[in-house]
Amino acid sequence: MADVTRRLHLRHLRAAPTTWVSHTVRGRAKRAGTGLSFWYRPLTAALSEVPVDDRELPLLFHARTEDFADVTVQATVTYRVSDPAAAAGRLDFSIDPYRGTWRGQPLDQVAGLLAELAQQPALDLIARLPLAEALTTGIAGVRASVADALAADPRLTETGVSVVSARVVAIRPEPDLERALQTPTREQVQQEADRATYARRAHAVQQEQAIAENELQSKIELARREQELVEQHGANTRREAELDAETQLVAARADAARKEVASVAAAERTRRQAGSEADATRVRDDARAAGARVVGLAEAEAEAARLAAYRDLPPAVLQALALKEFAGQLPQINEVTVTPDLISKLVGRLG
C-alpha cells in the first residue's frame, strides 16, 4: 500500500520498492515504475498500484479417487506479477488518490483464478487413481500436472501473472478412512513393539538365569571351599592330637623308665639298708619293751603304795578324800547354798 501525505491541495505518494505505480492524468501516462515518489493533484490523477513481489497462495480443495474415496488436497502456489502494466489493464489495481488504498480486491481475483486453474488438473488426475496410489505416489503427479497447467494457461499470460512454483503438501482422506488405513501399519508397529518387548523380557530372563546360575555356582564353590577348610581343620586337629599323643607317650615312657630306674635304685638302697634298719628296729623295740616294763613296774609299785596308805586311814578321811577327788571332776561352782538341815545330816554322818 502506497504512503500518501497531504500538503494543502496537493498529495505526495511514496511507493515501496516492490510496488509498481502508474500515474495517469487526463488519459495520458505521466509516470510508471517501481519505488516512485512524486506530487500530484488528487482531482486529476488516476493512480494504479500493482505489487510485483512473490506471493504465496495456499490452496485446499476436495477430490474423489477412482474408488470413490473423498480426499483433501493441500497445495501452495507461488506467483508474481511479471507484467504490471498488463495486470493493471486487465484487473482493477486502482487506488484512492486521497488515502492510497485499493478501490477493489484485485489480489483476490488473481487468487481465485489461480485456484480454479490449479484444481482442474488435480481433480482430473486424482479421479483416475485409486485411493492407495493417490496417497502414496499421487503427490508428485498432482504437483507436475498443476505446475504444467498453470505455466501453459493463456489467461495468466494475458493477465501478466507468472507462476514461480507449485507444491502439493499433502493428500489426505477423511479421518475415519485415514484411521482405517493406518490400522494395519499401527498393528504392525505394535507387533514389532511387542516383539521387541518379548525379546527384551526373554533376554532379561536369560540374564536372570545366568545370574542365578552364577550365584549358585558361587555358593557351591563357597560350600566346597568351606568343606575343604573344615576337612583341613579336622586334619590339622587330628595331627595335633596325634603329635600330642606321641609326645605324651614319649614323656610317659621316659617317666616310666625314670621311675623304673629310681625303683630299682630304691630297692637296691632298701635292700642294702634293710639289714641295718632291721637291727635298729629290733633294738628300738627291745628298748621300748624294756622301758614299758620298767614304767609298768613303777606304776604298779606306786599304786600298791597308795593303796597301802589308804588302807590304814579311817573311813571319814577316805570319804573326805573321795569328796575332794569328786570335786576335782566337777565343773566350776561360783556359789553354794548350805542349809542347816544339810549340815546336820552331814554332821550326823560324820559322827
Side-chain angles (χ1 to χ4, degrees):
M1 183 180 295
D3 184 12
V4 176
T5 58
R6 177 181 178 181
R7 182 67 59 85
L8 297 178
H9 61 283
L10 299 178
R11 296 291 187 274
H12 183 271
L13 183 145
R14 183 176 58 191
T18 57
T19 302
W20 181 87
V21 177
S22 68
H23 179 205
T24 303
V25 177
R26 295 186 180 91
R28 292 179 301 178
K30 294 190 63 174
R31 57 180 65 85
T34 58
L36 297 181
S37 178
F38 55 89
W39 292 93
Y40 65 92
R41 294 179 62 186
L43 294 177
T44 59
L47 303 176
S48 296
E49 182 182 24
V50 181
V52 294
D53 57 340
D54 291 349
R55 291 182 174 268
E56 301 287 340
L57 176 62
L59 300 176
L60 186 67
F61 54 91
H62 295 276
R64 178 168 293 183
T65 61
E66 184 182 14
D67 46 4
F68 305 102
D70 291 334
V71 294
T72 301
V73 180
Q74 183 178 356
T76 302
V77 176
T78 303
Y79 69 95
R80 63 187 301 267
V81 180
S82 58
D83 189 355
R90 298 292 298 270
L91 301 175
D92 185 12
F93 282 96
S94 63
I95 61 175
D96 188 348
Y98 292 96
R99 295 187 299 273
T101 58
W102 275 320
R103 296 179 182 273
Q105 299 294 332
L107 294 181
D108 291 345
Q109 296 177 356
V110 175
L113 178 60
L114 290 173
E116 292 178 358
L117 295 176
Q119 287 183 19
Q120 191 61 44
L123 295 176
D124 294 341
L125 178 62
I126 292 175
R128 296 192 301 270
L129 297 176
L131 177 62
E133 185 178 354
L135 296 179
T136 54
T137 62
I139 294 179
V142 172
R143 180 175 60 248
S145 62
V146 170
D148 294 340
L150 294 177
D153 190 90
R155 287 178 294 177
L156 293 179
T157 304
E158 294 174 359
T159 310
V161 177
S162 301
V163 176
V164 178
S165 65
R167 300 182 302 277
V168 178
V169 180
I171 299 177
R172 302 187 61 177
E174 294 180 351
D176 296 339
L177 184 58
E178 185 176 10
R179 284 192 296 270
L181 293 174
Q182 291 175 352
T183 299
T185 303
R186 187 180 295 108
E187 292 296 331
Q188 184 177 0
V189 172
Q190 186 64 38
Q191 291 177 2
E192 293 295 332
D194 295 340
R195 189 178 296 108
T197 302
Y198 298 150
R200 179 175 57 82
R201 291 179 179 176
H203 182 69
V205 170
Q206 294 178 358
Q207 293 296 325
E208 291 178 357
Q209 291 178 353
I211 292 172
E213 291 178 359
N214 292 334
E215 291 179 352
L216 181 59
Q217 293 296 329
S218 299
K219 291 180 180 179
I220 295 174
E221 181 66 20
L222 181 60
R224 186 181 63 80
R225 293 185 179 180
E226 289 179 353
Q227 181 179 0
E228 292 179 355
L229 180 61
V230 171
E231 293 177 355
Q232 185 64 35
H233 182 68
N236 294 338
T237 304
R238 185 171 59 253
R239 182 59 179 168
E240 290 178 358
E242 292 176 355
L243 292 177
D244 291 341
E246 291 178 359
T247 303
Q248 293 177 2
L249 180 59
V250 172
R253 289 178 179 177
D255 190 17
R258 185 172 60 255
K259 288 180 179 180
E260 184 178 359
V261 172
S263 298
V264 172
E268 184 64 25
R269 285 194 301 272
T270 303
R271 187 179 60 79
R272 291 178 180 177
Q273 295 176 358
S276 58
E277 289 181 357
D279 295 339
T281 301
R282 187 169 55 254
V283 172
R284 286 194 299 271
D285 292 340
D286 293 341
R288 290 174 181 172
R293 286 194 299 273
V294 173
V295 171
L297 291 174
E299 289 179 353
E301 291 177 357
E303 185 67 25
R306 187 170 61 83
L307 291 175
Y310 287 158
R311 188 176 59 247
D312 297 334
L313 292 176
V317 176
L318 292 175
Q319 291 179 357
L321 291 174
L323 289 173
K324 181 181 179 182
E325 186 69 23
F326 178 73
Q329 299 299 325
L330 292 175
Q332 183 179 357
I333 300 174
N334 294 328
E335 293 181 0
V336 178
T337 305
V338 181
T339 62
D341 296 337
L342 182 60
I343 295 174
S344 61
K345 289 180 183 181
L346 183 60
V347 172
R349 288 181 181 180
L350 294 177

